[in-house]
Amino acid sequence: MSLVPGSATDQTQALQAALDAATARGVPLELPAGRYRLGGLQLRPGTRLIGAAGTTTLEFTGGGAFITADQTDGILLDGLVLDGAYQALDAARADGLLSIRNSRGVRLRHLTLTRSVANGISLLACAGSVSDCNVSGVVQSAIRSVDSIGMEIAHNDIADCGNNGIQVWRSEAGEDGSIVSANRIARVRADSGGSGQNGNGVNVF
């Protein structure tokens, strides 16, 4: 089965197979411009998925989790548009359109994420960087990093978030190693209310 940009059919199986094959060979998978309709996609260690300068769109068709990774060191996503289409997410599996856990060497660059019922990018116990991304139209936070082991979050454009722009949280006291700098953040609401934990451009806790 081959990938067909612009097809109305689900491309999950074809893209997962192509991505796994490229990763096994140690080469990046470069997707041409177009829209690809997908359910869940799982990233492997060393995955490199590159779009055509923001004209490659992956649209979520549902299934509980969109793009996930766990214990996947050395991954790169670059030049992709991730459209969540406000499809439901299963909180036990993912709390963001892009949900990455327990991974080092994560590089997320030149991504556009939009229309998420939860977070845009969710990171748990990760090290790496999120840079030059555009995140908007999310119900929770644009970028959420919990228990970081060294994340740089820089030069991102963030707008129209339900609760926070950037969250850097820890579940317990400890060294975090995060750097948050030179981000543009606008129109952050506090839909969930509270005593200050929501409605922030940047929230460190």
Side-chain angles (χ1 to χ4, degrees):
M1 182 184 297
S2 60
L3 285 165
V4 182
S7 173
T9 61
D10 188 282
Q11 301 280 291
T12 307
Q13 187 174 1
L15 179 54
Q16 186 72 69
L19 192 57
D20 290 348
T23 302
R25 296 196 307 271
V27 299
L29 178 63
E30 299 185 13
L31 287 178
R35 182 173 289 267
Y36 302 82
R37 304 183 75 245
L38 306 170
L41 189 68
Q42 186 174 0
L43 308 182
R44 317 295 185 193
T47 292
R48 287 176 286 165
L49 181 58
I50 300 172
T55 60
T56 302
T57 298
L58 307 183
E59 180 183 350
F60 186 35
T61 58
F66 189 16
I67 299 177
T68 59
D70 192 358
Q71 297 183 333
T72 52
D73 293 351
I75 61 176
L76 166 67
L77 299 181
D78 193 339
L80 300 164
V81 178
L82 306 182
D83 181 356
Y86 291 122
Q87 294 283 347
L89 293 170
D90 178 356
R93 297 172 57 198
D95 63 351
L97 296 184
L98 179 55
S99 184
I100 302 173
R101 303 176 181 181
N102 307 306
S103 302
R104 296 176 180 268
V106 174
R107 291 174 294 161
L108 308 177
R109 305 189 308 213
H110 307 112
L111 303 178
T112 296
L113 297 95
T114 187
R115 301 203 295 169
S116 172
V117 298
N119 301 297
I121 297 169
S122 176
L123 305 162
L124 174 64
C126 290
S129 63
V130 181
S131 61
D132 300 294
C133 295
N134 186 306
V135 188
S136 64
V138 299
V139 171
Q140 295 293 338
S141 299
I143 301 170
R144 185 173 192 261
S145 177
V146 177
D147 292 338
S148 167
I149 48 177
M151 286 297 306
E152 181 176 9
I153 303 171
H155 300 282
N156 301 290
D157 286 326
I158 292 167
D160 301 310
C161 303
N163 282 310
N164 286 296
I166 297 171
Q167 281 185 322
V168 178
W169 284 15
R170 295 201 64 79
S171 58
E172 59 183 23
E175 182 177 354
D176 191 272
S178 291
I179 298 172
V180 180
S181 66
N183 298 282
R184 294 180 177 86
I185 305 173
R187 298 187 300 280
V188 176
R189 305 184 304 277
D191 292 348
S192 296
S195 57
Q197 66 268 42
N198 296 307
N200 306 287
V202 178
N203 183 287
V204 178
F205 174 75

